[in-house]
Amino acid sequence: MEKTVRSVFIGEVCDLPQKLGKTVTIGRKEIAVFKLENGEIRAIENRCPHKGGVLAEGILSGEYVFCPMHDWKINVKDGKVQSPDVGCVQSYPVEVKGDQVYILISK
């Protein structure tokens, strides 16, 4: 089965704060976007699977964001929660064309 995706422009690279989250809303999806220390840009669902903490407000350390509510540690590359906690959030592919940042979303 073929998946169809659309590319949604979310802003310029310079619009994203280094090592901080930014909330982007696309349709009914709320997405946390992070620019890592190495310049990579990652996008994940903006709700912790534990109690729904807003991940864009969490502290970013390397490839992980700490949920601001209960400190769950979530990988911003694949959305997996670090053990001993369990769960995951949706991660979204990001595409950078020149200085423009796009998130790829399933239609």
Side-chain angles (χ1 to χ4, degrees):
M1 184 166 141
E2 185 176 316
K3 269 189 162 179
T4 307
V5 294
R6 66 183 167 130
S7 179
V8 179
F9 173 71
I10 62 162
E12 304 284 332
V13 171
C14 63
D15 296 336
L16 300 173
Q18 187 93 22
K19 297 177 64 178
L20 294 174
K22 178 178 179 176
T23 299
V24 174
T25 303
I26 300 173
R28 300 175 81 178
K29 298 179 187 291
E30 191 172 290
I31 299 171
V33 179
F34 299 94
K35 183 162 66 175
L36 308 184
E37 199 168 13
N38 64 7
E40 289 182 33
I41 298 170
R42 299 292 176 173
I44 60 173
E45 181 182 352
N46 200 21
R47 295 285 171 206
C48 178
H50 178 228
K51 297 277 184 177
V54 179
L55 296 177
E57 296 175 2
I59 295 173
L60 187 67
S61 177
E63 299 175 351
Y64 292 91
V65 61
F66 290 83
C67 175
M69 288 181 70
H70 297 100
D71 242 9
W72 277 35
K73 191 175 178 183
I74 299 163
N75 189 306
V76 297
K77 288 188 170 185
D78 59 15
K80 292 182 182 172
V81 173
Q82 187 178 51
S83 66
D85 301 314
V86 293
C88 70
V89 296
Q90 174 76 46
S91 61
Y92 299 94
V94 173
E95 193 171 75
V96 178
K97 296 178 182 175
D99 291 334
Q100 299 183 331
V101 181
Y102 297 85
I103 294 178
L104 305 178
I105 299 283
S106 298
K107 285 187 178 181

